[in-house]
Amino acid sequence: MPHHIVITKPLNRRGRTLTRCNVDWVRTERSHTRLDRVFARLDREPERPAHVGMPRMSRHRIVLLGATLAFYAAIVWAVVATSWLVRLDWQVMFFRPYQQWPELHAFVDYYVVLGQRGPTAVMVAAWLGWRSWRQHTLRPLLALGVSLLLLNVTVGAAKYGMGRLGPHYATEIGSNEMWLGGDIFPSGHTANAVVTWGILAYLASTPRARRWLSALSAVTSLGVGLSTVYIGTHWLSDVLLGWAAGLLILLALPWFEPLIARAEARILAVRDRLRDRRGARAPVPAPAGRPVVVRPLAERAADTVHEPVPAGRAARSPVYLAPGPHTSRAERSPVTPVGSRRPQHTDRHPRGTTPAPRP
């Protein structure tokens, strides 16, 4: 493991060699790896950042949103009109990629899981939940929830509205297979991969991290879509439309930021009210009795009022006895219980009495 040496005592003159006399002590430290630096950066992350860079609906974003919407409409029109894109779909299906490259089948079966809603949502929600707990804000989790809700509404409506059949259920060669009761157009795996992995780029704290995560989510989602084409569950046009559908949700998400902020404020207000009610229902301790003032013994003796001593009677010093009944020492002498086998000692007399003279 690499180390470096730290000398804690400087040299007296230049060119002088290091000896045990001019070196105070030497400490070796382990050089930090990239993973150590990443965890150290996470530890230095503020709990409540003063400024959170939320993406805004800038002119550049609006232009991208319009271009993506035009691409979405063009794909739908090309499929409905049974254009060259439909012929390309059939050519790819007849090519049968899973038969051309069978060695990739095992890897693709696992890779396509990156586009399934359940596993990806759980993984991303775990990471965003940690960020929410770390920064004391609900915005990451609420943004994920809003994006998944928009995904279900928009993509689900398009799937059941156009009702396109998949390659395995196609009925007529060369047709677009539209409005036949299917639910594969656009590709849900591709759109889900774009949204769930793209939300990490959307919530990134730095522009550099946003760029890298955007490129990574784009490549991952496109790879998931091509994996479905390889298996044969989707047409190529389904993947293109799913990619555009997921991108539209991410581009339009800044319009929902005020809604996310109001939802976060209401949730936190409800939490505060519940905490107040729980504190009000807590049992109140009974009020304590009259406080007792403890004073020194000398002051208490000075405040004590003594009764006047009658004439002819010697005054005695006050005796302080412990509370409770008091008996004389003679009364506390041991007495043999009734029925005991121990014989009584006739020669013992109570204390304080004069014994009778012996004959």
Side-chain angles (χ1 to χ4, degrees), residues 7 11 50 107-108 113 139 255 262 265 284-285 293 316 322 335 359:
I7 301 175
L11 299 177
F107 170 75
V108 172
V113 177
R139 179 176 171 262
W255 280 336
R262 288 195 297 269
V284 181
V293 180
R316 293 183 301 177
V335 179

Side-chain angles (χ1 to χ4, degrees), residues 224-260:
V224 168
L226 294 179
S227 299
T228 60
V229 174
Y230 172 87
I231 298 174
T233 57
H234 279 286
W235 305 99
L236 182 61
S237 57
D238 299 342
V239 174
L240 298 178
L241 193 65
W243 196 82
L247 187 59
L248 283 176
I249 294 174
L250 291 179
L251 291 175
L253 200 57
W255 280 336
F256 297 89
E257 285 292 343
L259 177 63
I260 294 174

Side-chain angles (χ1 to χ4, degrees), residues 22 32 43 58 74-75 107 109 111 138 144 172 245 252 262 269-270 273 286 290 321 327 339:
N22 55 21
H32 298 287
D43 291 337
S58 60
I75 295 296
F107 170 75
D109 284 341
Y111 185 80
L138 296 177
L144 176 64
E172 183 180 355
R262 288 195 297 269
V270 171
R273 286 198 298 268
R290 186 177 179 181
L321 300 177
T327 56

Side-chain angles (χ1 to χ4, degrees), residues 56-320:
R56 302 179 181 274
M57 287 304 296
S58 60
R59 184 177 303 177
H60 178 69
R61 183 177 287 270
I62 293 176
V63 171
L64 286 178
L65 179 64
T68 307
L69 187 59
F71 180 75
Y72 187 97
I75 295 296
V76 173
W77 178 84
V79 173
V80 171
T82 317
S83 64
W84 60 271
L85 187 56
V86 176
R87 293 194 296 270
L88 180 61
D89 289 339
W90 282 96
Q91 290 176 1
V92 172
M93 191 203 75
F94 286 137
F95 182 71
R96 289 181 173 83
Y98 59 90
Q99 293 183 357
Q100 301 294 329
W101 301 290
E103 63 276 3
L104 298 177
H105 205 288
F107 170 75
V108 172
D109 284 341
Y110 288 101
Y111 185 80
V112 79
V113 177
L114 296 177
Q116 291 183 0
R117 183 96 27 103
T120 55
V122 169
M123 289 187 289
V124 175
W127 169 255
L128 295 182
W130 182 85
R131 284 193 58 184
S132 297
W133 172 79
R134 180 73 176 178
Q135 299 179 355
H136 294 273
T137 177
L138 296 177
R139 179 176 171 262
L141 289 177
L142 292 177
L144 176 64
V146 170
S147 61
L148 292 180
L149 181 61
L150 292 175
L151 178 66
N152 291 334
V153 172
T154 57
V155 176
K159 279 176 174 289
Y160 292 103
M162 289 181 281
R164 190 182 188 188
L165 293 177
H168 294 314
Y169 303 97
T171 57
E172 183 180 355
I173 297 176
S175 64
N176 55 13
E177 302 297 326
M178 298 285 286
W179 298 292
L180 296 177
D183 57 349
I184 56 115
F185 186 67
S187 172
H189 277 68
T190 307
N192 182 73
V194 172
V195 172
T196 51
W197 300 115
I199 197 68
L200 299 179
Y202 177 82
L203 297 172
S205 56
T206 59
R208 181 181 179 183
R210 186 176 294 114
R211 288 193 298 268
W212 279 101
L213 290 175
S214 299
L216 182 61
S217 63
V219 172
T220 303
S221 58
L222 194 58
V224 168
L226 294 179
S227 299
T228 60
V229 174
Y230 172 87
I231 298 174
T233 57
H234 279 286
W235 305 99
L236 182 61
S237 57
D238 299 342
V239 174
L240 298 178
L241 193 65
W243 196 82
L247 187 59
L248 283 176
I249 294 174
L250 291 179
L251 291 175
L253 200 57
W255 280 336
F256 297 89
E257 285 292 343
L259 177 63
I260 294 174
R262 288 195 297 269
E264 180 183 10
R266 290 182 180 179
I267 293 174
L268 294 179
V270 171
R271 182 201 63 180
D272 295 339
R273 286 198 298 268
L274 292 178
R275 284 183 177 179
D276 295 340
R277 291 179 182 177
R278 188 177 303 174
R281 292 179 181 178
V284 181
R290 186 177 179 181
V292 179
V293 180
V294 179
R295 294 183 300 172
L297 185 60
E299 296 182 6
R300 287 186 292 176
D303 296 342
T304 304
V305 179
H306 302 283
E307 297 180 358
V309 180
R313 181 179 177 183
R316 293 183 301 177
S317 60
V319 179
Y320 298 96

